[in-house]
Amino acid sequence: MPGIALVGIQWGDEGKGKVTDLFAEHTELVVRYQGGNNAGHTIVVGQERYALHLIPTGILYPHCVPVIGPGVVVNPQVLIEEMDSLEQRGVDTARLLLSGNAHLIMPYHLELDKVTERRLGKNRLGTTKRGIGPAYADKAARIGLRVQDLLDPKIFSAKLEVAIKEKNLLLTRVYGRLPLDRTQVEEEYLAYGERLVSHITDTNRVVQRALDDDKTVLFEGAQATMLDLDHGTYPFVTSSNPIAGGACVGGGAGPRDLQRIVGISKAYCTRVGSGPFPSEADPADAELLVEAGDEYGTTTGRKRRCGWFDAVAARYAARLNTLSELVVTKLDVLSAFDTIKVCVAYEYEGERFEDFPPNQTIFNKCRPVFEELPSWSEDITGARSMHDLPKEARSYLETVESLSRTPVSWASVGPGRDQIVDTKAGGA
Ligand code: GDP
Ligand code: IMO
Ligand code: MG
């Protein structure tokens, strides 16, 4: 039965980890379909807090098989460290499956990510410096090394030879860095292969069989719609396709396998790294959002830029992902404000844009058209039903629903597993 895709509709960190965990309770398979360890997904279970970067959120439920699909780029060292750290906390990682077709992040990708950002200077993207862009670039150039190459030392050695020669020239001649030692890289990676061998498989077969057997398969997006390589705020994007369409490409399913597409949005908006952000708040409001929402990156610890809910971007994401519903997270954070702003449109040279502007010049320079709504001051972290929410909070959810033209099915009121409100159950 259903394939369900969970996608961020803003610039990442919407609370995908928490929401995937919520859905995973009734799911057999959780599949990561793109990105790598640039992601940071936080799940809070009782007193325990997990920050997952590469391993799908389903790992925390023993009944769930976590799958790293072919569209992901994998740093095997980070994967093994993440597995070890989960094992130390009593989480069994033996069920984890890793696609042989997933591409490997190599040491030269990390180097190149760093030196490219340095070279770009004030035009830098503010990447996570995890080697994501260079790894996807090699994939597209067809000189990437894949997880399955780790299982055949001869092939691995031959492919590495070709790739590392070119990278070393680039590193030494263009960037004035030291070359990487081929033998050392080869030995290191083949050892990772030995460690990971029992997890490596053709994950497409596993995913497709589960769907054919009427099992629920969750496709866990990393990053988000506005960071999508093709549809986001290029070049200030990541190098993969987080949108729902990417779940098919990178997860090994077909478009008709997706029956539910759940968009995840904060009740406000954040962004890490450079790039345009039309609904960015003024410094005082942004500071309060950082403080109330604890807005620091899960992966890099950077302070997140904060702004208000952007209805133009939400409508864009709703159509692009064909969202069936929205989950609104961090509603509790807005208790800190007397009034809440919502960006309902953009304005550029006297023209009003209700829909996403057709080119980057407008998007870069447009001004937000804000509407102001009443907030509430009650602590809502204990709310478990719509009846527990103040009327202003219910009304805010209705506004989000109407502006984004998408039904809101859940509202999250805290990081914990149980801090969730089913908006359609006995609700307003
Ligand atoms: P992801 O990358 O989309 O999984 O999101 P992150 O985990 O990077 O960032 C979301 C942060 O918000 C995490 O620290 C979560 O624990 C936290 N969080 C998630 N939902 C809520 C919520 O409803 N309220 C509050 N206050 N925090 C939340
Ligand atoms: P999750 O899954 C927020 C941002 C980086 C940078 C841009 C490109 O936790 O939502 P990259 O390293 O991917 O080449 O960086 O994308 N970025 C994220 N921002 N959440 C993420 O993941 C992100 N992953 C990448 O800050 O602006
Ligand atoms: Mg995150």
Side-chain angles (χ1 to χ4, degrees):
M1 228 229 331
I4 304 174
L6 284 137
V7 297
I9 70 156
Q10 300 170 317
W11 278 275
D13 302 325
E14 295 90 348
K16 295 178 293 294
K18 164 164 176 169
V19 178
T20 309
D21 179 69
L22 174 76
F23 278 68
E25 197 178 344
H26 309 288
T27 294
E28 279 83 0
L29 240 59
V30 178
V31 186
R32 264 287 299 273
Y33 56 89
Q34 45 70 231
N37 60 308
N38 48 349
H41 297 176
T42 318
I43 301 111
V44 177
V45 186
Q47 300 303 309
E48 296 285 318
R49 182 180 176 279
Y50 300 90
L52 301 173
H53 299 286
L54 207 43
I55 298 183
T57 297
I59 194 80
L60 300 180
Y61 283 108
H63 67 265
C64 217
V65 176
V67 177
I68 297 178
V72 177
V73 284
V74 178
N75 181 329
Q77 183 190 356
V78 172
L79 177 59
I80 291 166
E81 279 169 10
E82 195 161 319
M83 288 165 71
D84 287 347
S85 106
L86 284 168
E87 288 283 346
Q88 273 164 20
R89 297 175 71 177
V91 178
D92 177 21
T93 60
R95 317 177 310 284
L96 176 73
L97 300 180
L98 171 59
S99 169
N101 285 359
H103 276 247
L104 292 168
I105 295 180
M106 304 297 293
Y108 43 80
H109 293 139
L110 294 167
E111 279 292 304
L112 286 169
D113 202 353
K114 279 182 209 143
V115 292
T116 311
E117 281 284 272
R118 212 169 294 156
R119 179 173 56 86
L120 285 170
K122 69 174 177 41
N123 294 321
R124 69 182 174 276
L125 307 179
T127 74
T128 59
K129 299 201 177 81
R130 300 299 192 264
I132 306 296
Y136 276 116
D138 277 1
K139 172 179 172 173
R142 291 156 298 180
I143 53 165
L145 278 85
R146 298 190 295 173
V147 165
Q148 59 180 294
D149 295 330
L150 295 172
L151 306 180
D152 188 328
K154 240 173 136 176
I155 287 185
F156 186 83
S157 181
K159 288 189 178 177
L160 180 64
E161 171 78 22
V162 173
I164 209 165
K165 241 186 194 159
E166 186 221 20
K167 302 303 182 207
N168 274 342
L169 279 175
L170 200 56
L171 286 171
T172 55
R173 303 257 175 100
V174 178
Y175 294 106
R177 310 283 296 178
L178 290 172
L180 291 161
D181 185 308
R182 191 184 82 87
T183 316
Q184 201 181 324
V185 173
E186 186 171 328
E187 282 172 5
E188 185 188 329
Y189 271 65
L190 290 176
Y192 296 145
E194 280 172 27
R195 168 73 199 273
L196 292 171
V197 64
S198 64
H199 301 274
I200 300 170
T201 189
D202 174 1
T203 59
N204 284 8
R205 278 171 66 91
V206 178
V207 169
Q208 291 161 9
R209 200 170 289 159
L211 287 162
D212 291 343
D213 289 349
D214 260 8
K215 292 183 174 156
T216 304
V217 178
L218 213 59
F219 295 90
E220 176 182 9
Q223 290 80 52
T225 304
M226 302 305 284
L227 288 173
D228 187 277
L229 179 62
D230 291 278
H231 305 283
T233 50
Y234 190 90
F236 300 102
V237 293
T238 192
S239 298
S240 64
N241 293 110
I243 59 166
C248 299
V249 179
R256 287 197 290 141
D257 285 319
L258 298 184
Q259 298 193 352
R260 237 173 120 185
I261 296 163
V262 183
I264 307 173
S265 172
K266 275 180 185 157
Y268 48 100
C269 196
T270 63
R271 165 160 216 175
V272 199
S274 323
F277 185 12
S279 69
E280 192 156 18
D282 63 46
D285 284 346
E287 204 46 50
L288 190 50
L289 282 167
V290 168
E291 209 178 290
D294 193 22
E295 294 296 352
Y296 294 91
T298 310
T299 300
T300 56
R302 288 178 290 178
K303 195 196 251 191
R304 295 174 182 145
R305 297 160 65 192
C306 288
W308 300 103
F309 181 78
D310 182 338
V312 182
R315 285 193 286 272
Y316 175 73
R319 180 62 191 88
L320 185 61
N321 290 295
T322 56
L323 295 186
S324 49
E325 65 207 270
L326 257 187
V327 179
V328 175
T329 62
K330 301 192 109 168
L331 188 64
D332 53 300
V333 173
L334 296 181
S335 297
F337 290 85
D338 296 331
T339 57
I340 308 165
K341 284 187 187 150
V342 179
C343 172
V344 294
Y346 304 151
E347 217 169 61
Y348 176 70
E349 292 188 340
E351 194 180 342
R352 184 180 162 106
F353 290 85
E354 306 253 344
D355 292 322
F356 209 68
N359 68 54
Q360 61 183 357
T361 309
I362 304 175
F363 192 76
N364 286 341
K365 295 189 180 158
C366 67
R367 292 165 53 84
V369 179
F370 283 126
E371 273 180 15
E372 213 151 316
L373 303 167
S375 188
W376 57 92
S377 51
E378 293 93 329
D379 176 352
I380 59 167
T381 53
R384 297 294 176 268
S385 80
M386 287 296 265
H387 299 296
D388 300 333
L389 290 178
K391 72 172 185 328
E392 293 85 356
R394 292 200 303 267
S395 155
Y396 183 66
L397 291 174
E398 278 165 18
T399 303
V400 167
E401 190 164 275
S402 134
L403 286 173
S404 61
R405 299 179 193 137
T406 310
V408 173
S409 57
W410 301 88
S412 174
V413 292
R417 243 182 200 172
D418 61 328
Q419 291 180 294
I420 194 86
V421 170
D422 180 345
T423 62
K424 303 298 174 201

